[in-house]
Amino acid sequence: MSTLTPNPAAREVLITLQVNGATVTRAVEPRTHLTDFLREDLGLTGSHVGCEHGVCGACTVRLDGAIVRGCLVLAVQADGARVETIEGVTASGEIADLQEAFVCRNALQCGFCTPGMLICAAELLEKKPQAGRDEIREFISGNYCRCTGYEAIVDAIETTAAGRRKG
Amino acid sequence: MKPAPFAYVRAQSVAEVFDHLEAHGDDARLLAGGQSLIATLALRLSAPALLVDINSLASLRFIERRGEAVVIGALTRYCDIENDPIVAQFVPLLAQAIPHIAHPAIRNRGTIGGSLAFADPAAELPACMVALEATLVVAGRAGERRIAADDFYQGMYATALGAGEMLVRIEIPAARANTRARLMEFSRRHGDYAIVGLAANGLLHPGGGFEELHLVFFGCGERPVRAAHAEALVLGAPGLPSHARLREAMAADLDPQSDLQAGPDTRRHLAAVLAGRALATMNRQ
């Protein structure tokens, strides 16, 4: 059992995790959330810091294969875990069709919400390939977009789902 | 915002959790799914000196049928419950409740025990547990205590959990053939906390109407609120009560707060509307 130091902030913890397939080891303060760690320590700035209390969805990443809010997971909690960010899923090409559809349908304007929206939509496409517009809206209801009014985003996800069903 | 500094340990056993709680008392907080706690840290609404991460306690993550009960480990995540066939068949109220909780990315992480122990008066699960007459099992150095859900909730964010104790599992009576459940809520957007919500669970009488009924509201007071007058109204008459009668009952049952979303009268009205709709669909099922 560990003991508390007088200044716990000074006590960094060594973590080792997989990020986009690469193993990284870093010392982090316990209070650092996963998104700050990815952005500040690893330079992966595709995950965005919006509200920092779990409301906006801009920081959505995959942790051990499932989407989470990067701001509601501490970096120390990801010790031993597998993390995938928008950089990783872009490089692998697994959501190339979804990204193409976002461009074609004008499903972004400023782009701030887009990385989180794409990673969220990717889970929907995988888990509920038959989802209709209502289900799509419900699934992305935790990801805020202040530009598009969502209609174009729903169009893009629906288009991608239809494209994948055709094969 | 960024949280105030804290220390962090990942507990490898329940016994180790007790060690930390004993050593640090109120300065330590348990970190389960963290979907409320980490947000409150970021907003600096709380600033514990130590977080005890219990996510490695895999033995607390399970859903099982044991005799006439469904037993769920405290660390079971919403996403586990959402897709579980035992829950779908034997705890329909819970199955209906989960999709109302926040959003998929949060349901992948949040835990049933975290929600129940946090005791947010606007949350779905505490009300469900009261409606289901569930038993919350808490463990401490001295052993386990079994607490009825209705006794567990003592006020706003206040529970019967004692110093050094943690919630370890929940025992829920399994639904019978004539069990009917309905979870309904009014909220501005999907995933928001409810302005008013209702967890309704009951047994249909073979001859019509209900032989047992629990109507428990959330977002309507400092803790889950059982609407005893409304329940009596339904149980005491053959047909379903009118909206006006339900509205009268709500005046006696509910003393809701006023906030930016709605005042007490609006909440009582909405509660009566929800009760009417829930009862009508339960009676039809």
Side-chain angles (χ1 to χ4, degrees), chain B residues 68 89-90 173-180 203 211-212:
Chain B
E68 293 307 300
Q89 188 177 355
F90 295 109
R176 296 189 239 157
N178 59 336
T179 296
R180 295 294 180 272
L203 290 176
E211 63 181 48
E212 212 181 292

Side-chain angles (χ1 to χ4, degrees), chain B residues 198-220:
Chain B
L198 168 63
N201 203 59
L203 290 176
L204 281 188
H205 193 281
F210 292 87
E211 63 181 48
E212 212 181 292
L213 182 65
H214 295 94
L215 299 174
V216 182
F217 288 91
F218 50 97
C220 255

Side-chain angles (χ1 to χ4, degrees), chain B residues 235-249:
Chain B
L235 293 172
L240 293 179
S242 65
H243 173 78
R245 298 291 307 281
L246 282 169
R247 181 68 187 77
E248 273 170 33

Side-chain angles (χ1 to χ4, degrees), chain B residues 8-277:
Chain B
Y8 169 92
V9 289
R10 198 186 280 194
Q12 301 301 330
S13 68
V14 173
E16 192 192 332
V17 174
F18 299 149
D19 290 343
H20 294 302
L21 293 178
E22 219 164 78
H24 303 288
D26 287 346
D27 290 336
R29 288 287 299 273
L30 298 187
L31 173 60
Q35 302 303 286
S36 296
L37 177 57
I38 296 180
T40 67
L41 297 176
L43 296 167
R44 300 215 178 191
L45 295 171
S46 67
L50 173 70
L51 286 194
V52 182
D53 186 347
I54 58 172
N55 283 280
S56 293
L57 306 181
S59 63
L60 297 184
R61 188 176 179 185
F62 65 87
I63 300 170
E64 283 170 16
R65 181 95 199 273
R66 291 185 197 163
E68 293 307 300
V70 173
V71 185
I72 303 181
L75 258 183
T76 307
R77 300 191 195 279
Y78 299 139
C79 61
D80 303 328
I81 300 170
E82 190 169 7
N83 301 308
D84 188 83
I86 297 175
V87 172
Q89 188 177 355
F90 295 109
V91 201
L93 184 65
L94 192 52
Q96 290 177 37
I98 300 291
H100 287 281
I101 302 172
H103 312 285
I106 288 176
R107 295 201 292 272
N108 281 342
R109 198 79 195 147
T111 67
I112 185 172
S115 171
L116 295 180
F118 187 54
D120 189 314
E124 289 84 0
L125 297 189
C128 287
M129 294 306 124
V130 174
L132 290 162
E133 297 191 295
T135 301
L136 279 58
V137 183
V138 304
R141 183 75 77 200
E144 289 188 352
R145 292 196 298 141
R146 300 162 50 76
I147 306 169
D150 200 25
D151 298 328
F152 187 78
Y153 292 102
Q154 301 187 335
M156 194 169 280
Y157 304 107
T159 71
L161 268 170
E165 285 183 326
M166 68 180 285
L167 180 60
V168 288
R169 65 180 181 277
I170 301 100
E171 299 171 2
I172 304 167
R176 296 189 239 157
N178 59 336
T179 296
R180 295 294 180 272
R182 196 82 179 119
L183 191 124
M184 288 185 150
E185 62 181 52
F186 279 109
S187 59
R188 295 283 299 266
R189 294 165 304 193
H190 184 91
D192 280 6
Y193 276 116
I195 297 169
V196 177
L198 168 63
N201 203 59
L203 290 176
L204 281 188
H205 193 281
F210 292 87
E211 63 181 48
E212 212 181 292
L213 182 65
H214 295 94
L215 299 174
V216 182
F217 288 91
F218 50 97
C220 255
E222 299 203 335
R223 46 151 283 161
V225 185
R226 203 167 155 183
H229 289 85
E231 289 171 8
L233 194 62
V234 178
L235 293 172
L240 293 179
S242 65
H243 173 78
R245 298 291 307 281
L246 282 169
R247 181 68 187 77
E248 273 170 33
M250 294 309 162
D253 286 327
L254 303 179
D255 184 17
Q257 73 284 10
S258 184
D259 60 23
L260 287 174
Q261 304 218 66
D265 276 341
T266 305
R267 281 195 156 85
R268 285 192 204 98
H269 168 75
L270 292 175
V273 171
L274 285 182
R277 288 180 187 170

Side-chain angles (χ1 to χ4, degrees), chain A residues 5 8 22 35 41 48 55 60 75-76 83 95 97 104 111-113 115 123 126 138 141 143 145 152 154-155 161:
Chain A
T5 57
T35 308
D41 293 53
H48 291 163
V55 176
T60 307
V76 282
V83 174
I95 59 164
D97 55 347
C104 287
F112 190 86
C113 72
E123 182 160 303
E126 190 197 316
E138 198 176 305
S141 65
N143 289 67
C145 172
V154 177
D155 289 346

Side-chain angles (χ1 to χ4, degrees), chain A residues 15 29 32 37 57-58 61 74 76 84 93 98 101 110 122 131 141 145 150 154-156 159 163:
Chain A
I15 60 170
E29 261 192 81
T32 306
F37 171 73
V61 293
L74 301 171
V76 282
E84 289 159 281
L98 180 64
C110 83
S141 65
C145 172
Y150 302 101
V154 177
D155 289 346
T159 304

